[in-house]
């Protein structure tokens, strides 16, 4: 019998599909990939009988699963990682982060820093991330070179910075960026009104209009701190989510980062409007912002996903590391060890991330026709022995350093722990050089 | 000039000494080791001028620091890792863990499982652990072979199990074990009355007498859950710590694991009696036991250290992973991002662990005369770039998989990520075989 021709076959002891129409786990499975897409998922012996491929990856002691999704970050902030810790939020922002940004941000800075962030995320099995920052066209350049998938939100503020003089200019820059990348296969441009305390309702309205015009997502911070809640009450007489709702500014293509302090009513609003949430637990813990009521939001039907926030506040871009804490902490918060079981948690960090970013039809599940965005986790580690339940091991025991192989849009980006699209040594040298410039800018 | 002869010189970009009488960090430093002890800590150029050694480890892009200490675990429970998750505590214990223990525990099981635990801990940079389980003489055998340091507490209960028929027999077995290992250079025998709800005050008293007779530590569970607090109140009319205090059963050679629910008065009692605490955050979160008031305990002078608990409840033995969560969560619990700064956190996982286990004079700081228990962390990782502050990176960004080299009592146990004292393949094969036996015992 003539075999069908594929580009790539990935074999594994377990294939986690999260494909609702069939089994969630295929043991001794194989993913057949052609032209960047999944042709089929079969038992290994079936795959061998039916398909030939230019390349086969043998994953005897591996799990294959959809890659991790980081639904909220400021990737280029990796260059500020560990520059200022253990400080009150106001001091951290006003005396360290904002001055650093105002002195340093440039397309070159963003490009080089984002490449380091891509290297870190690829090594941690992150295949898709949702960014909010500035000069996103410079980010897009290195992200495409790295082969990652990303949603890039051009930042909008109501006050002048080195990026733009006024709201009009921010919005104009965002629209130009969106037009430039709207047909890109890997990078989805987006618009990012920063937060209710830095953007007026009118600015949100204009940002949403641009998003609707080009069918792109909106990415914003929302209800992060108790200070924000009080500030928005003072300014507008309502809590942050209620405030946006009153102005008709919530949409199902909107992703809200943090949402630490929603009222019961606000959770219902988010569910009703289809707004997705990025839970940035480690950042919220480290900055003492609080712990979001994730289980209660999920019970009301809010889609909750996992974000790392920027590396200046977390201090890494490790979605699996974040998940490991998320999956445990809410059991204690609810006083119930049965909530957020391992499988539910794993979906928050994978499938639901694609859904939240409007990419449910692109990837996030391993099934026929989907883009091949997947990772392999190496089970040959002492902390993954013995194995009773693969979901338990992935969520409660695996580390991001167990990710051995990363495939995005059918392209092998990392193989056997080696990133193929980025020169690590060059990235490290540039990071070290930029650090010197940052320190000189502060001390000079 | 004739150079002095050493066994081993370890060079690094940073040496974190935690030696209070000199600088806590030596940049471009070298640790000089002879006969298992630290001869000196010098700048690299000084070390090269003054010393020759049979072996030199070049750590150009590394940090050297005292190894991590796991102050509460049941090492052999790694064989039950991931066997039962997301369950109520009672179901988890009564329907899964206790039946598994009663069917499986034997000296062979303990020996093989403990070897897997040692492999996992060495790879995660743990050099010393405090165990509580049964057949500790079987553990001791593989721990000595692995070259690790450990305090092994022979478990004592007031009810019969496969280990012993009654309290007398448990105590007798513990004393025999203590006599057997009391002069060992690496293994410290200890006694472990399990908890106030499984051991009467009389049993605690007898265990403490044995500990005093041989000058060994006592290791117990204390105030882990709200259920325990209520149960002890019912049984004895006092909360758990108050109960032990009333019976005169608290000592400064005692380590209490968990301590999730102490009252303010109980925190003062622990401080006054010099009882050390093992904070097992991830286990307490995952089993929904609660979050210990660590910052308030530390403010009152209680020595708080880091434990992983057994891998059936956590689900790993990764002290650095635990520390990463500990260092952030208490900022949110206290609403203050300045508490538990990176340096303070790092000491909880290293120096204070030795102090809590009565080994402050043996190691836990890098200074002249101390045993050479140290690890090297590889800074050449994307998540550790760029570097502004080494303490921040170790606590907020490093992963246990960045530990490249482990030295215990002057002996190189792991070098360049390769464990030299354990055959990994054999350990994995045995884990897989035991898993089959465990599953057969449950299904048969």
């Amino acid at each position: 019998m003539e075999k069908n021709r594929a580009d790539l076959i990935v074999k594994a002891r377990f294939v986690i599909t999260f494909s609702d129409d069939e089994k969630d786990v295929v043991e001794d499975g194989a993913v057949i990939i052609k032209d960047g897409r999944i042709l089929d998922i079969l038992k290994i012996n079936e795959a061998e009988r039916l398909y030939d491929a230019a390349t086969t990856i043998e994953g005897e002691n591996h799990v294959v699963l959809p890659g991790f999704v980081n639904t909220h970050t400021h990737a280029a902030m990796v260059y500020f990682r560990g520059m200022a810790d253990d400080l009150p939020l106001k001091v951290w922002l006003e005396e360290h982060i904002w001055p650093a940004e105002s002195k340093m941000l440039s397309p070159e800075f963003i490009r080089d820093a984002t490449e380091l962030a891509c290297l870190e995320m690829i090594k941690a099995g992150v295949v898709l991330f949702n960014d909010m920052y500035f000069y996103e066209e410079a980010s897009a350049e290195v992200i495409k070179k790295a082969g990652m998938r990303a949603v890039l939100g051009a930042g909008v503020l109501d006050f002048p910075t080195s990026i733009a003089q006024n709201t009009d200019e921010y919005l104009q820059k965002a629209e130009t960026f969106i037009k430039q990348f709207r047909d890109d296969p890997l990078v989805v441009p987006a618009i990012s009104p920063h937060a209710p305390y830095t953007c007026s309702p009118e600015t949100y309205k204009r940002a949403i209009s641009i998003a609707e015009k080009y069918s792109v997502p909106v990415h914003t911070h929302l209800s992060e701190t108790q200070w924000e809640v009080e500030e928005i009450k003072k300014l507008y007489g309502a809590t942050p989510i209620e405030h946006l709702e009153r102005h008709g500014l919530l949409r199902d293509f909107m992703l809200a980062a943090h949402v630490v302090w929603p009222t019961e009513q606000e959770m219902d609003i988010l569910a009703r409007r289809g707004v997705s949430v990025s839970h940035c637990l480690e950042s919220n813990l480290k900055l003492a912002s609080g712990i979001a009521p994730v289980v209660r939001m999920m019970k009301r039907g809010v889609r909750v996903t996992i974000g790392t926030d920027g590396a200046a506040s977390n201090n890494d871009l490790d979605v699996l590391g974040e998940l490991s804490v998320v999956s445990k902490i809410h059991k204690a918060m609810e006083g119930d060890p049965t909530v957020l079981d391992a499988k539910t948690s794993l979906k928050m960090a994978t499938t639901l991330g694609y859904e939240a970013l409007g990419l449910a039809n692109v990837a996030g599940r391993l099934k026929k026709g989907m883009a091949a965005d997947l990772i392999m986790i190496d089970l040959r580690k002492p902390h993954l022995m013995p194995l009773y339940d693969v979901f338990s091991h992935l969520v409660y025991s695996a580390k991001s350093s167990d990710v051995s192989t990363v495939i995005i849009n059918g392209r092998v980006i990392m193989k056997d722990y080696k990133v193929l699209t980025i020169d690590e040594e060059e990235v490290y040298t540039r990071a070290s050089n930029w650090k010197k410039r940052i320190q000189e800018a502060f001390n000079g």
Side-chain angles (χ1 to χ4, degrees), chain A residues 168-187:
Chain A
D168 285 350
E169 197 184 341
Y170 285 109
L171 289 167
Q172 203 174 55
K173 281 180 185 253
E175 187 164 1
T176 304
F177 169 64
I178 290 170
K179 283 199 274 192
Q180 193 184 343
F181 285 95
R182 60 193 291 210
D183 297 319
D184 197 273
L186 284 173
V187 163

Side-chain angles (χ1 to χ4, degrees), chain A residues 223-233 240 260-261 288-290:
Chain A
S223 200
E224 180 175 0
T225 61
Q226 284 177 302
W227 172 86
E228 174 184 338
V229 173
E230 292 311 313
E231 182 73 6
I232 297 302
K233 272 201 228 168
V260 177
W261 295 103
S289 305

Side-chain angles (χ1 to χ4, degrees), chain A residues 119 122 145-146 406 411-424:
Chain A
L119 179 64
I122 292 168
K145 181 170 155 266
V406 173
R411 181 179 176 201
V412 182
I413 303 296
M414 179 165 86
K415 175 94 198 294
D416 297 333
Y417 302 96
K418 172 82 190 139
V419 177
L420 306 174
T421 54
I422 295 176
D423 183 322
E424 285 191 39

